[in-house]
Amino acid sequence: MSKIKFGVFPAEQQRANRKDMVFAPNPLSLSVPEPAFESWLRDSGYLEILDQRTTDLHRISTTAKPSNSAAHSTTTPTPTSIPPKRVFFVSRLFSPIWTLLSLLTFNPFSKLATDDFAANTPPWTLAFFGSSESYSFPSSPSQARLRVHENVKRFARNYASLFVLFFACSLYQLPIALSGLISCLALWDVFKFSSDRWGLDRYPIIRQTLIRIAQCVTAVILLISNVQLAVFWALGVSYAVMILHASFRKLTPAKQPAVRGGYRRTARR
């Protein structure tokens, strides 16, 4: 009875002792911080899961905001402040605009490497264009950056082919630029043929002088024929198409399962 305090029953003393106890953290706990879990998904290659998870979290947060703001307005009414519902709708209106503007503040080619152009070209139908379910508006600027960086690496050869296509279309609309480009190619072809026939390799000074003259003539022809205008329009249109497609295109697994006879082949264990 010496351990029992005066006026306190044993059951109440045990509950007080439980409150004073401090438990050590469990090393087998399954609770993982959000940044650590997202970094693990990114490093493990599960980018499609990270993409879908970001969209789901944004949808949950947006649906929970009106109820929270309404509850706050009922408890603490402020007649001079803006209604929470109006603030919410204004934020939802400017959120897509801010997401699109954020695409102009970073370099989409920062993670692009030369090995990405050496890989095979993804199919244009299933991998590149996909279906209507393959596209969604990015929920946040971070998700837009993630999509752009990953899709630029995956579809680098497709975007390069689109640039060539847009450049050919711009040359078709500017026949003077097309004739100037063809004349420049013909000039260098004639120079190579003459160099091989006359043996200019034995006269390096003369050969370097002729090369400098040909470069100056090429620059004058390109400026007069406005080839730089065609290049500018091709770069602008292809860059806009690349940014919009890469930001709206959902992330998918890098290797799609093979489809044969309407069924997906899965590896047997």
Side-chain angles (χ1 to χ4, degrees):
M1 299 294 293
S2 60
K3 295 183 180 180
I4 301 176
K5 295 182 181 180
F6 181 77
V8 180
F9 294 98
E12 295 179 357
Q13 185 178 3
Q14 290 179 2
R15 286 195 294 268
N17 293 336
R18 290 196 189 104
K19 292 181 180 179
D20 296 337
M21 294 176 63
V22 178
F23 294 94
N26 185 8
L28 299 179
S29 177
L30 297 178
S31 60
V32 180
E34 296 292 334
F37 183 62
E38 291 182 0
S39 63
W40 178 81
L41 287 175
R42 187 179 291 105
D43 297 337
S44 301
Y46 297 103
L47 296 176
E48 67 279 1
I49 300 178
L50 181 60
D51 185 19
Q52 184 63 32
R53 184 172 178 273
T54 305
T55 305
D56 295 339
L57 290 177
H58 179 74
R59 186 184 300 112
I60 293 173
S61 63
T62 53
T63 53
K65 280 180 181 179
S67 60
N68 295 336
S69 60
H72 181 73
S73 61
T74 54
T75 55
T76 57
T78 54
T80 58
S81 62
I82 302 176
K85 291 184 178 180
R86 185 177 301 177
V87 175
F88 175 72
F89 286 119
V90 170
S91 63
R92 289 196 63 180
L93 178 62
F94 285 97
S95 178
I97 300 176
W98 172 251
T99 301
L100 293 178
L101 291 178
S102 66
L103 298 176
L104 304 176
T105 60
F106 74 104
N107 182 16
F109 308 105
S110 58
K111 296 184 179 181
L112 188 63
T114 56
D115 297 336
D116 299 328
F117 292 97
N120 296 327
T121 305
W124 289 90
T125 54
L126 297 178
F128 187 75
F129 290 108
S131 60
S132 59
E133 298 179 355
S134 302
Y135 298 89
S136 67
F137 196 90
S139 59
S140 60
S142 60
Q143 186 185 30
R145 295 190 190 96
L146 175 65
R147 287 183 178 181
V148 169
H149 282 148
E150 183 62 24
N151 287 327
V152 166
K153 288 177 64 66
R154 291 183 181 182
F155 307 118
R157 294 175 64 91
N158 299 91
Y159 295 141
S161 301
L162 287 178
F163 168 73
V164 174
L165 177 62
F166 292 144
F167 183 65
C169 293
S170 61
L171 290 177
Y172 178 77
Q173 296 293 332
L174 300 173
I176 299 178
L178 178 60
S179 60
L181 184 61
I182 293 175
S183 61
C184 291
L185 296 176
L187 175 63
W188 285 101
D189 195 10
V190 170
F191 175 78
K192 182 180 179 181
F193 176 77
S194 302
S195 177
D196 296 338
R197 184 175 182 180
W198 296 338
L200 295 179
D201 295 336
R202 295 175 296 179
Y203 308 98
I205 299 177
I206 299 176
R207 188 173 184 274
Q208 290 296 329
T209 304
L210 293 177
I211 288 176
R212 296 294 182 269
I213 295 174
Q215 289 177 349
C216 295
V217 173
T218 301
V220 171
I221 294 175
L222 293 178
L223 290 175
I224 294 176
S225 57
N226 288 330
V227 177
Q228 69 276 7
L229 183 60
V231 174
F232 174 77
W233 282 110
L235 284 175
V237 174
S238 59
Y239 184 82
V241 171
M242 180 192 69
I243 289 295
L244 292 177
H245 176 269
S247 60
F248 283 84
R249 185 71 163 86
K250 293 181 180 179
L251 295 180
T252 56
K255 293 182 180 180
Q256 296 288 346
V259 179
R260 179 176 295 179
Y263 298 94
R264 291 183 177 180
R265 297 186 344 186
T266 56
R268 297 180 180 177
R269 295 183 179 178

